[in-house]
């Protein structure tokens, strides 16, 4: 398997604070690699190192064969980078923004008009070419920003919370575009806190306090992290039941999901015991990545207190 991103104990410190702590990841060509974690966990710092914007404090990494520490400038022409704060120019039209970024990324002039047309088509911005960006909704702006970031056809696309603040419909359309890019051979690394988006990634890395705590396919994570039988429990006052259920010998984990409890049991045979104990409705459910994320976060907290 060809890896286009590799890191070995990649570390970044800011004074005494360690933002990224000995990170080891491998990203294969053409995959969508999800990078998940709470705010402040080190996701953005990692992406900025991989883009050649920040230098590692220690450890090493390579992007497209280029060394992060010594060849950062060689990396930049081959990547696309889009953050939450990607800059569009409100006083320019859709077309003018794309034309501007085509110039920034040194797209040859003879190819520029065709490349801009491709981005307008990809982002479904047909008919809006002459519209001022200031008049676009956030969802349209996000798609235009994506078009600007990939107009030079980068080999790798780094997306840092690209769908934050837009509607579920716009998020789905945005991720459909990402999927099409990956199908065409572009490698995508995306940070997100939306589990429905994470489900569509080839591989997922969970990071907490700068450290990698899990890295696998969505299905493997569900089976590995949530080994057992996951059930949904409907009881009055779930907070009251949380600690009581966690103390049961056959309960591996328990968490609150709205007005319900998700309980991980050792065996299916424990279902009737749990029903009898709570007096509530107990039904087996398919684990989600949200369940995985909560279990990993709780495990990390327990580990830090031991």
């Amino acid at each position: 398997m060809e890896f286009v991103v590799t890191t070995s104990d990649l570390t970044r410190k800011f004074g005494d604070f360690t933002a990224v702590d000995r990170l080891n990841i491998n990203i294969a060509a053409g995959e969508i690699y999800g990078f998940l974690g709470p705010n402040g966990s080190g996701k953005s710092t990692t992406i900025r190192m991989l883009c050649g914007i920040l230098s590692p404090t220690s450890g090493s990494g390579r992007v497209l064969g280029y060394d992060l520490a010594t060849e950062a400038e060689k990396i930049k022409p081959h990547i696309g980078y889009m953050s939450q704060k990607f800059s569009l120019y409100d006083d320019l039209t859709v077309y003018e923004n794309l034309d501007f970024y085509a110039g920034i990324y040194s797209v040859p002039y003879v190819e520029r008009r065709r490349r801009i047309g491709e981005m307008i088509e990809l982002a479904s911005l047909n008919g809006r070419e002459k519209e001022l960006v200031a008049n676009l909704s956030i969802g349209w702006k996000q798609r235009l920003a994506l078009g600007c970031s990939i107009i030079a056809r980068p080999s790798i696309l780094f997306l840092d919370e690209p769908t934050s603040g837009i509607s579920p419909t716009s998020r789905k359309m945005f991720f459909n575009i990402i999927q099409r890019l990956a199908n065409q051979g572009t490698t995508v690394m995306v940070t997100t806190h939306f589990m429905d988006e994470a489900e569509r990634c080839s591989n997922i890395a969970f990071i907490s306090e700068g450290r990698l705590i899990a890295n696998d396919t969505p299905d493997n994570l569900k089976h590995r992290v949530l080994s057992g039988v996951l059930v949904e429990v409907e009881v009055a006052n779930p907070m009251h039941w949380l600690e009581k259920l966690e103390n049961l010998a056959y309960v591996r984990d328990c968490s609150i999901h709205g007005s319900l409890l998700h309980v991980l049991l050792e065996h299916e045979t424990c279902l009737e015991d749990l029903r009898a104990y709570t007096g509530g409705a107990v039904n087996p459910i398919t684990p989600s990545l949200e369940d995985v994320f909560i279990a990993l976060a709780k495990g990390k907290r327990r580990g830090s207190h031991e």
Side-chain angles (χ1 to χ4, degrees):
M1 183 181 293
E2 179 193 359
F3 292 117
V4 292
V5 175
T6 61
T7 70
S8 177
D9 288 343
L10 190 67
T11 300
R12 174 68 196 202
K13 295 185 178 183
F14 296 96
D16 294 331
F17 174 68
T18 302
V20 177
D21 190 1
R22 291 165 292 172
L23 183 70
N24 296 287
I25 60 172
N26 295 299
I27 302 178
E31 77 171 329
I32 302 177
Y33 190 89
F35 204 42
L36 279 65
N39 291 337
S41 58
K43 302 188 301 296
S44 295
T45 301
T46 298
I47 283 187
R48 291 171 71 194
M49 281 194 284
L50 296 178
C51 288
I53 299 169
L54 275 178
S55 298
T57 304
S58 62
S60 63
R62 301 188 81 85
V63 174
L64 297 170
Y66 297 114
D67 185 87
L68 293 182
T70 61
E71 299 177 295
E73 291 306 312
K74 293 181 180 179
I75 294 171
K76 294 175 184 177
H78 302 283
I79 64 171
Y81 172 55
M82 178 184 163
S83 70
Q84 288 175 270
K85 299 175 182 177
F86 189 94
S87 296
L88 292 173
Y89 295 91
D90 283 350
D91 55 345
L92 297 180
T93 65
V94 167
Y95 190 96
E96 288 167 343
N97 268 275
L98 286 165
D99 188 47
F100 173 77
Y101 277 99
I104 290 291
Y105 288 119
S106 302
V107 175
Y109 191 78
V110 293
E111 291 185 30
R112 202 167 294 183
R113 183 185 293 272
R114 179 169 54 84
R115 201 75 65 83
I116 290 171
E118 288 175 358
M119 295 304 101
I120 287 170
E121 183 72 29
L122 183 75
S124 300
L125 286 162
N126 309 73
R128 295 176 179 266
E129 293 90 339
K130 296 181 180 180
E131 191 166 343
L132 285 176
V133 166
N135 298 331
L136 296 178
S137 69
I138 295 176
W140 289 108
K141 285 181 178 179
Q142 292 291 78
R143 275 184 269 166
L144 174 59
L146 178 63
C148 291
S149 69
I150 63 172
I151 198 162
R153 294 179 180 166
S155 299
I156 303 180
L157 180 60
F158 293 98
L159 302 172
D160 195 3
E161 299 281 1
T163 58
S164 180
I166 63 176
S167 70
T169 302
S170 292
R171 286 199 295 107
K172 185 176 181 180
M173 292 180 70
F174 189 96
F175 223 83
N176 286 342
I177 297 172
I178 295 172
Q179 190 72 62
R180 288 210 301 275
L181 290 169
N183 291 342
Q184 294 164 9
T186 304
T187 305
V188 181
M189 183 179 188
V190 56
T191 72
T192 181
H193 58 273
F194 295 111
M195 295 301 131
D196 58 328
E197 293 180 354
E199 290 275 5
R200 298 177 66 176
C201 295
S202 318
N203 277 281
I204 297 171
F206 283 93
I207 187 172
S208 178
E209 296 176 359
R211 292 188 177 181
L212 187 69
I213 56 174
N215 186 9
D216 213 328
T217 66
D219 285 343
N220 285 349
L221 283 169
K222 291 172 191 176
H223 290 110
R224 184 163 57 83
V225 176
L226 299 171
S227 175
V229 177
L230 189 67
V231 298
E232 188 176 75
V233 181
E234 186 176 353
V235 288
N237 193 2
M239 278 297 294
H240 167 75
W241 281 98
L242 185 64
E243 187 174 350
K244 294 174 72 172
L245 294 184
E246 285 181 329
N247 289 329
L248 293 176
Y250 54 81
V251 170
R252 291 181 172 173
D253 198 13
C254 183
S255 58
I256 289 182
H257 291 249
S259 61
L260 301 167
L261 290 169
H262 284 195
V263 182
L264 185 63
L265 304 175
E266 286 190 348
H267 303 287
E268 195 171 350
T269 54
C270 306
L271 274 165
E272 289 306 320
D273 290 338
L274 189 61
R275 285 193 182 104
Y277 182 67
T278 63
V282 178
N283 296 300
I285 57 172
T286 302
S288 69
L289 279 178
E290 185 177 3
D291 293 305
V292 172
F293 186 76
I294 290 172
L296 287 171
K298 287 176 71 174
K300 179 71 168 59
R301 286 198 298 271
R302 282 196 294 267
S304 64
H305 291 146
E306 289 175 356

